[in-house]
Amino acid sequence: MLMYGWMKWVELAPQRYDWAVTLLTGGRVNHIKDKIAEKINSGDRVLDIGCGTGTLALRFLKKGARVDGLDSSRAMLEKAGALAAAAGLDRQLRLVHDSITRLPVRFPDQQFDVITATLALGEFSAEYRNFILRDCHLLLRPGGRLIIADEIYPENPFARFIYFSLMIGFWIPQFLILRRVIFPIKGLSASVVESGFAILSSKTWPINSLQLLCAEKPFDHSPDLRVD
Ligand SMILES: C[S@@+](CC[C@H](N)C(=O)[O-])C[C@H]1O[C@@H](n2cnc3c(N)ncnc32)[C@H](O)[C@@H]1O
């Protein structure tokens, strides 16, 4: 909730986005992005949904991956393009201006080795998020991986008490600025499994209430979860 309230404000101006997120997470998000990049191989075809300023995509490009970065904000995409160009890696990057809710319209099935989403899925209701996860399942090749890092609802009662005690002071200003209150994601791992993935690894950081989750689209005959 805290993170997304802040995110909504900083997303309005991409030039303040990166330092603001680094400040808010005490650098944790940068560490998590480094960890995600370690899982990418040269030649991988990667889709980063809600790519923002492209700091994660740039890490993938440096590993020799071909990257599609999708975001609904032109300003964010412009910054992502400039970042990749400054590193001389923009030829391996395709920027797509569209909504995460339209993935099957934009990309053919089984196109990607890896799909990543960092701090992007909390922007959606649980229902929408489940649709997005199913779309990711369609777009990944069998054996492909879905890697998500996001702010989650603390499951442990003590951690939850600490978290909400710290955060409650942000609800009123957040509502006044954004006209809505955004909460952390509940049951992310369960939603990922329900969407047809097998979880490979999961790590949480209680203070920031962040989760890094890596899942695989199994090779077996998973049900086709497309909703027509
Ligand atoms: C909190 S930022 C995270 C950016 C980046 N993934 C990162 O970790 O730095 C969320 C991003 O999602 C994008 N976004 C929000 N709603 C979206 C939607 N419906 N479709 C595509 N992108 C969206 C925003 O423009 C923003 O760039």
Side-chain angles (χ1 to χ4, degrees):
M1 187 279 300
L2 164 67
M3 193 169 297
Y4 275 99
W6 179 278
M7 296 297 172
K8 276 288 162 198
W9 180 70
V10 296
E11 279 169 23
L12 300 175
Q15 69 277 9
R16 64 188 171 214
Y17 175 80
D18 290 317
W19 69 256
V21 175
T22 300
L23 182 69
L24 182 66
T25 63
R28 178 75 71 203
V29 162
N30 297 332
H31 169 72
I32 290 175
K33 287 180 180 175
D34 289 341
K35 287 267 159 225
I36 296 174
E38 284 172 14
K39 299 176 189 293
I40 303 299
N41 301 310
S42 177
D44 274 351
R45 184 84 207 269
V46 186
L47 170 64
D48 186 26
I49 55 176
C51 66
T53 57
T55 52
L56 185 62
L58 181 65
R59 285 168 167 85
F60 300 159
L61 293 168
K62 286 180 176 167
K63 297 279 308 263
R66 289 172 298 149
V67 184
D68 283 36
L70 176 137
D71 204 284
S72 57
S73 158
R74 277 197 195 282
M76 286 285 194
L77 290 174
E78 276 165 21
K79 185 146 189 227
L83 199 65
L89 293 167
D90 48 323
R91 286 177 59 187
Q92 296 299 317
L93 174 66
R94 187 162 70 113
L95 294 171
V96 181
H97 179 234
D98 209 335
S99 173
I100 294 172
T101 53
R102 284 169 33 87
L103 295 178
V105 179
R106 275 289 180 174
F107 304 101
D109 290 2
Q110 305 199 359
Q111 170 103 0
F112 295 103
D113 300 302
V114 183
I115 297 180
T116 53
T118 53
L119 304 177
L121 295 180
E123 308 242 349
F124 300 91
S125 68
E127 198 182 7
Y128 259 114
R129 197 160 43 243
N130 290 340
F131 275 116
I132 294 163
L133 292 172
R134 287 172 198 165
D135 288 345
C136 290
H137 191 275
L138 287 174
L139 265 50
L140 281 167
R141 65 163 175 80
R145 287 165 300 154
L146 173 69
I147 306 177
I148 299 171
D150 225 306
E151 188 181 20
I152 53 147
Y153 186 84
E155 298 295 337
N156 176 293
F158 181 68
R160 193 157 60 231
F161 173 75
I162 301 287
Y163 178 78
F164 283 104
S165 306
L166 289 172
M167 301 308 153
I168 201 153
F170 288 88
W171 285 343
I172 292 171
Q174 187 193 110
F175 180 76
L176 291 175
I177 294 168
L178 304 174
R179 294 293 161 194
R180 65 181 176 129
V181 174
I182 303 164
F183 292 97
I185 299 176
K186 243 182 187 175
L188 178 61
S189 303
S191 302
V192 166
V193 170
E194 279 163 23
S195 304
F197 292 95
I199 292 186
L200 299 174
S201 64
S202 171
K203 181 169 171 52
T204 53
W205 287 268
I207 309 263
N208 306 115
S209 196
L210 287 167
Q211 181 175 14
L212 171 60
L213 192 150
C214 181
E216 184 182 59
K217 174 174 173 172
F219 280 98
D220 63 10
H221 304 294
S222 317
D224 185 350
L225 295 165
R226 184 193 287 279
V227 179
D228 292 318

